[in-house]
Amino acid sequence: MIDVLLFALGFLAGPVIFWVLAKQTPTRRYVTALWAVSVVLIAGAFVLRQWGGAHGAYGALAVVLLAWLAWITVLSLVMLAIRTSTLPQRPRRIAYGVTAAATTLPWFGLYTAQMIAD
C-alpha cells in the first residue's frame, strides 16, 4: 500500500507541484522566496538526518520527502530562468517537459537502491 502511495506522490504530485511553482511570474521576490524555500527544505532534511528522528521508516521517509521537495523547487528555479531567457518557444516547451519529468528522478534512484538492498 505504501508503494502505491509513493508512486502516486512521485509521479502525480511532483509534476503538479512543479507546474504550480514554475508557472508563476518570475519576479525577483518570487525567485528569492523559491531559493530560500529550497535551502530551508534541504537544511531540514540534513538536520533531520543528522540530529533528529530519521531513525526508522517514517523518519527516513521524511528526509527523502524534504530532499525531493527541495529538488522540485530547484527545478522550478531552473525553469523560471529558462522562461526569462530569449530562447524560442519550442525549446522552452521542451525544457518545461524535461524538467517536469525530472521531478520523478529521485524516486527511480530510491527504487533502485531498494532493489539492490533486498
Side-chain angles (χ1 to χ4, degrees):
M1 180 62 181
I2 191 84
D3 292 338
V4 173
L5 180 64
L6 288 176
F7 177 83
L9 180 70
F11 289 90
L12 298 175
V16 169
I17 294 168
F18 168 80
W19 183 79
V20 168
L21 295 175
K23 285 294 184 180
Q24 305 301 317
T25 305
T27 63
R28 181 181 297 262
R29 173 178 256 159
Y30 182 68
V31 170
T32 303
L34 264 186
W35 178 84
V37 165
S38 66
V39 169
V40 167
L41 286 168
I42 202 66
F46 178 77
V47 166
L48 188 61
R49 177 74 176 108
Q50 292 297 333
W51 296 294
H55 309 291
Y58 294 115
L61 183 61
V63 169
V64 169
L65 286 175
L66 287 172
W68 177 64
L69 290 172
W71 170 248
I72 292 173
T73 58
V74 169
L75 288 173
S76 300
L77 285 167
V78 168
M79 194 59 227
L80 290 172
I82 291 171
R83 281 184 46 209
T84 60
S85 69
T86 58
L87 288 173
Q89 187 68 19
R90 181 174 167 92
R92 279 191 277 165
R93 286 185 182 158
I94 292 169
Y96 187 82
V98 168
T99 51
T103 63
T104 63
L105 288 177
W107 297 111
F108 287 111
L110 185 62
Y111 181 70
T112 303
Q114 185 180 13
M115 280 184 7
I116 291 171
D118 287 344

PDB file of all heavy atoms in Angstrom, residues 18 79 82 87-101:
ATOM      1  N   PHE A  18       5.523  21.053  -9.306  1.00  0.00           N
ATOM      2  CA  PHE A  18       6.434  21.752 -10.211  1.00  0.00           C
ATOM      3  C   PHE A  18       5.668  22.716 -11.111  1.00  0.00           C
ATOM      4  O   PHE A  18       6.077  23.863 -11.297  1.00  0.00           O
ATOM      5  CB  PHE A  18       7.219  20.742 -11.056  1.00  0.00           C
ATOM      6  CG  PHE A  18       7.959  21.381 -12.191  1.00  0.00           C
ATOM      7  CD1 PHE A  18       9.165  22.019 -11.961  1.00  0.00           C
ATOM      8  CD2 PHE A  18       7.454  21.353 -13.471  1.00  0.00           C
ATOM      9  CE1 PHE A  18       9.854  22.623 -13.002  1.00  0.00           C
ATOM     10  CE2 PHE A  18       8.130  21.947 -14.518  1.00  0.00           C
ATOM     11  CZ  PHE A  18       9.337  22.580 -14.278  1.00  0.00           C
ATOM     12  N   MET A  79      13.516  26.313 -14.446  1.00  0.00           N
ATOM     13  CA  MET A  79      12.507  26.609 -15.461  1.00  0.00           C
ATOM     14  C   MET A  79      12.194  28.099 -15.509  1.00  0.00           C
ATOM     15  O   MET A  79      11.990  28.658 -16.589  1.00  0.00           O
ATOM     16  CB  MET A  79      11.235  25.795 -15.193  1.00  0.00           C
ATOM     17  CG  MET A  79      10.283  25.792 -16.352  1.00  0.00           C
ATOM     18  SD  MET A  79      11.036  25.115 -17.833  1.00  0.00           S
ATOM     19  CE  MET A  79      10.551  26.348 -19.017  1.00  0.00           C
ATOM     20  N   ILE A  82      14.879  29.678 -17.502  1.00  0.00           N
ATOM     21  CA  ILE A  82      14.707  29.388 -18.926  1.00  0.00           C
ATOM     22  C   ILE A  82      13.582  30.237 -19.508  1.00  0.00           C
ATOM     23  O   ILE A  82      13.698  30.755 -20.622  1.00  0.00           O
ATOM     24  CB  ILE A  82      14.463  27.882 -19.147  1.00  0.00           C
ATOM     25  CG1 ILE A  82      15.743  27.103 -18.844  1.00  0.00           C
ATOM     26  CG2 ILE A  82      13.978  27.608 -20.562  1.00  0.00           C
ATOM     27  CD1 ILE A  82      15.567  25.606 -18.809  1.00  0.00           C
ATOM     28  N   LEU A  87      15.190  32.364 -25.522  1.00  0.00           N
ATOM     29  CA  LEU A  87      15.019  31.167 -26.344  1.00  0.00           C
ATOM     30  C   LEU A  87      13.684  31.209 -27.085  1.00  0.00           C
ATOM     31  O   LEU A  87      12.704  31.752 -26.570  1.00  0.00           O
ATOM     32  CB  LEU A  87      15.045  29.909 -25.468  1.00  0.00           C
ATOM     33  CG  LEU A  87      16.371  29.482 -24.877  1.00  0.00           C
ATOM     34  CD1 LEU A  87      16.163  28.333 -23.912  1.00  0.00           C
ATOM     35  CD2 LEU A  87      17.334  29.080 -25.965  1.00  0.00           C
ATOM     36  N   PRO A  88      13.639  30.592 -28.255  1.00  0.00           N
ATOM     37  CA  PRO A  88      12.349  30.471 -28.944  1.00  0.00           C
ATOM     38  C   PRO A  88      11.375  29.604 -28.134  1.00  0.00           C
ATOM     39  O   PRO A  88      11.763  28.887 -27.215  1.00  0.00           O
ATOM     40  CB  PRO A  88      12.702  29.788 -30.265  1.00  0.00           C
ATOM     41  CG  PRO A  88      14.169  29.997 -30.432  1.00  0.00           C
ATOM     42  CD  PRO A  88      14.742  30.117 -29.058  1.00  0.00           C
ATOM     43  N   GLN A  89      10.128  29.653 -28.514  1.00  0.00           N
ATOM     44  CA  GLN A  89       9.066  28.975 -27.764  1.00  0.00           C
ATOM     45  C   GLN A  89       9.257  27.451 -27.720  1.00  0.00           C
ATOM     46  O   GLN A  89       9.056  26.835 -26.675  1.00  0.00           O
ATOM     47  CB  GLN A  89       7.703  29.323 -28.384  1.00  0.00           C
ATOM     48  CG  GLN A  89       6.518  28.815 -27.611  1.00  0.00           C
ATOM     49  CD  GLN A  89       6.350  29.519 -26.277  1.00  0.00           C
ATOM     50  OE1 GLN A  89       6.888  30.597 -26.055  1.00  0.00           O
ATOM     51  NE2 GLN A  89       5.618  28.901 -25.383  1.00  0.00           N
ATOM     52  N   ARG A  90       9.634  26.855 -28.820  1.00  0.00           N
ATOM     53  CA  ARG A  90       9.747  25.388 -28.865  1.00  0.00           C
ATOM     54  C   ARG A  90      10.790  24.842 -27.882  1.00  0.00           C
ATOM     55  O   ARG A  90      10.492  23.908 -27.124  1.00  0.00           O
ATOM     56  CB  ARG A  90      10.032  24.924 -30.292  1.00  0.00           C
ATOM     57  CG  ARG A  90      10.127  23.416 -30.420  1.00  0.00           C
ATOM     58  CD  ARG A  90      10.271  22.994 -31.865  1.00  0.00           C
ATOM     59  NE  ARG A  90      10.666  21.631 -31.996  1.00  0.00           N
ATOM     60  CZ  ARG A  90       9.829  20.614 -32.126  1.00  0.00           C
ATOM     61  NH1 ARG A  90       8.534  20.843 -32.129  1.00  0.00           N
ATOM     62  NH2 ARG A  90      10.287  19.396 -32.253  1.00  0.00           N
ATOM     63  N   PRO A  91      12.017  25.372 -27.860  1.00  0.00           N
ATOM     64  CA  PRO A  91      12.976  24.872 -26.860  1.00  0.00           C
ATOM     65  C   PRO A  91      12.512  25.104 -25.419  1.00  0.00           C
ATOM     66  O   PRO A  91      12.790  24.292 -24.542  1.00  0.00           O
ATOM     67  CB  PRO A  91      14.257  25.646 -27.152  1.00  0.00           C
ATOM     68  CG  PRO A  91      14.143  26.090 -28.555  1.00  0.00           C
ATOM     69  CD  PRO A  91      12.688  26.293 -28.804  1.00  0.00           C
ATOM     70  N   ARG A  92      11.802  26.182 -25.165  1.00  0.00           N
ATOM     71  CA  ARG A  92      11.288  26.420 -23.811  1.00  0.00           C
ATOM     72  C   ARG A  92      10.248  25.369 -23.445  1.00  0.00           C
ATOM     73  O   ARG A  92      10.203  24.901 -22.315  1.00  0.00           O
ATOM     74  CB  ARG A  92      10.699  27.823 -23.691  1.00  0.00           C
ATOM     75  CG  ARG A  92      11.774  28.862 -23.468  1.00  0.00           C
ATOM     76  CD  ARG A  92      11.177  30.167 -23.097  1.00  0.00           C
ATOM     77  NE  ARG A  92      10.788  30.838 -24.331  1.00  0.00           N
ATOM     78  CZ  ARG A  92       9.992  31.876 -24.408  1.00  0.00           C
ATOM     79  NH1 ARG A  92       9.459  32.387 -23.322  1.00  0.00           N
ATOM     80  NH2 ARG A  92       9.710  32.432 -25.557  1.00  0.00           N
ATOM     81  N   ARG A  93       9.402  24.991 -24.384  1.00  0.00           N
ATOM     82  CA  ARG A  93       8.409  23.938 -24.114  1.00  0.00           C
ATOM     83  C   ARG A  93       9.086  22.597 -23.863  1.00  0.00           C
ATOM     84  O   ARG A  93       8.668  21.837 -22.985  1.00  0.00           O
ATOM     85  CB  ARG A  93       7.432  23.822 -25.276  1.00  0.00           C
ATOM     86  CG  ARG A  93       6.441  24.932 -25.334  1.00  0.00           C
ATOM     87  CD  ARG A  93       5.435  24.701 -26.421  1.00  0.00           C
ATOM     88  NE  ARG A  93       4.522  25.826 -26.483  1.00  0.00           N
ATOM     89  CZ  ARG A  93       3.817  26.130 -27.535  1.00  0.00           C
ATOM     90  NH1 ARG A  93       3.909  25.405 -28.638  1.00  0.00           N
ATOM     91  NH2 ARG A  93       3.003  27.167 -27.516  1.00  0.00           N
ATOM     92  N   ILE A  94      10.102  22.297 -24.639  1.00  0.00           N
ATOM     93  CA  ILE A  94      10.839  21.054 -24.435  1.00  0.00           C
ATOM     94  C   ILE A  94      11.502  21.055 -23.062  1.00  0.00           C
ATOM     95  O   ILE A  94      11.444  20.059 -22.325  1.00  0.00           O
ATOM     96  CB  ILE A  94      11.869  20.836 -25.564  1.00  0.00           C
ATOM     97  CG1 ILE A  94      11.145  20.561 -26.878  1.00  0.00           C
ATOM     98  CG2 ILE A  94      12.827  19.704 -25.217  1.00  0.00           C
ATOM     99  CD1 ILE A  94      12.045  20.581 -28.101  1.00  0.00           C
ATOM    100  N   ALA A  95      12.113  22.173 -22.696  1.00  0.00           N
ATOM    101  CA  ALA A  95      12.755  22.290 -21.384  1.00  0.00           C
ATOM    102  C   ALA A  95      11.731  22.130 -20.275  1.00  0.00           C
ATOM    103  O   ALA A  95      12.013  21.506 -19.241  1.00  0.00           O
ATOM    104  CB  ALA A  95      13.467  23.634 -21.263  1.00  0.00           C
ATOM    105  N   TYR A  96      10.542  22.666 -20.466  1.00  0.00           N
ATOM    106  CA  TYR A  96       9.491  22.523 -19.459  1.00  0.00           C
ATOM    107  C   TYR A  96       9.116  21.051 -19.277  1.00  0.00           C
ATOM    108  O   TYR A  96       8.989  20.571 -18.152  1.00  0.00           O
ATOM    109  CB  TYR A  96       8.256  23.340 -19.851  1.00  0.00           C
ATOM    110  CG  TYR A  96       7.215  23.371 -18.782  1.00  0.00           C
ATOM    111  CD1 TYR A  96       7.311  24.265 -17.727  1.00  0.00           C
ATOM    112  CD2 TYR A  96       6.141  22.496 -18.804  1.00  0.00           C
ATOM    113  CE1 TYR A  96       6.371  24.283 -16.724  1.00  0.00           C
ATOM    114  CE2 TYR A  96       5.192  22.499 -17.809  1.00  0.00           C
ATOM    115  CZ  TYR A  96       5.307  23.400 -16.776  1.00  0.00           C
ATOM    116  OH  TYR A  96       4.376  23.411 -15.771  1.00  0.00           O
ATOM    117  N   GLY A  97       8.960  20.335 -20.368  1.00  0.00           N
ATOM    118  CA  GLY A  97       8.637  18.905 -20.281  1.00  0.00           C
ATOM    119  C   GLY A  97       9.742  18.094 -19.632  1.00  0.00           C
ATOM    120  O   GLY A  97       9.476  17.212 -18.811  1.00  0.00           O
ATOM    121  N   VAL A  98      10.981  18.413 -19.973  1.00  0.00           N
ATOM    122  CA  VAL A  98      12.122  17.679 -19.399  1.00  0.00           C
ATOM    123  C   VAL A  98      12.229  17.943 -17.899  1.00  0.00           C
ATOM    124  O   VAL A  98      12.430  17.018 -17.108  1.00  0.00           O
ATOM    125  CB  VAL A  98      13.431  18.052 -20.132  1.00  0.00           C
ATOM    126  CG1 VAL A  98      14.648  17.543 -19.381  1.00  0.00           C
ATOM    127  CG2 VAL A  98      13.408  17.527 -21.547  1.00  0.00           C
ATOM    128  N   THR A  99      12.081  19.200 -17.484  1.00  0.00           N
ATOM    129  CA  THR A  99      12.192  19.498 -16.059  1.00  0.00           C
ATOM    130  C   THR A  99      11.005  18.938 -15.272  1.00  0.00           C
ATOM    131  O   THR A  99      11.175  18.507 -14.131  1.00  0.00           O
ATOM    132  CB  THR A  99      12.342  21.009 -15.803  1.00  0.00           C
ATOM    133  OG1 THR A  99      11.317  21.713 -16.503  1.00  0.00           O
ATOM    134  CG2 THR A  99      13.702  21.507 -16.244  1.00  0.00           C
ATOM    135  N   ALA A 100       9.825  18.921 -15.880  1.00  0.00           N
ATOM    136  CA  ALA A 100       8.677  18.308 -15.202  1.00  0.00           C
ATOM    137  C   ALA A 100       8.905  16.808 -15.016  1.00  0.00           C
ATOM    138  O   ALA A 100       8.611  16.249 -13.957  1.00  0.00           O
ATOM    139  CB  ALA A 100       7.393  18.566 -15.976  1.00  0.00           C
ATOM    140  N   ALA A 101       9.442  16.161 -16.038  1.00  0.00           N
ATOM    141  CA  ALA A 101       9.738  14.730 -15.924  1.00  0.00           C
ATOM    142  C   ALA A 101      10.867  14.481 -14.924  1.00  0.00           C
ATOM    143  O   ALA A 101      10.881  13.437 -14.261  1.00  0.00           O
ATOM    144  CB  ALA A 101      10.115  14.164 -17.289  1.00  0.00           C
TER     145      ALA A 101
END
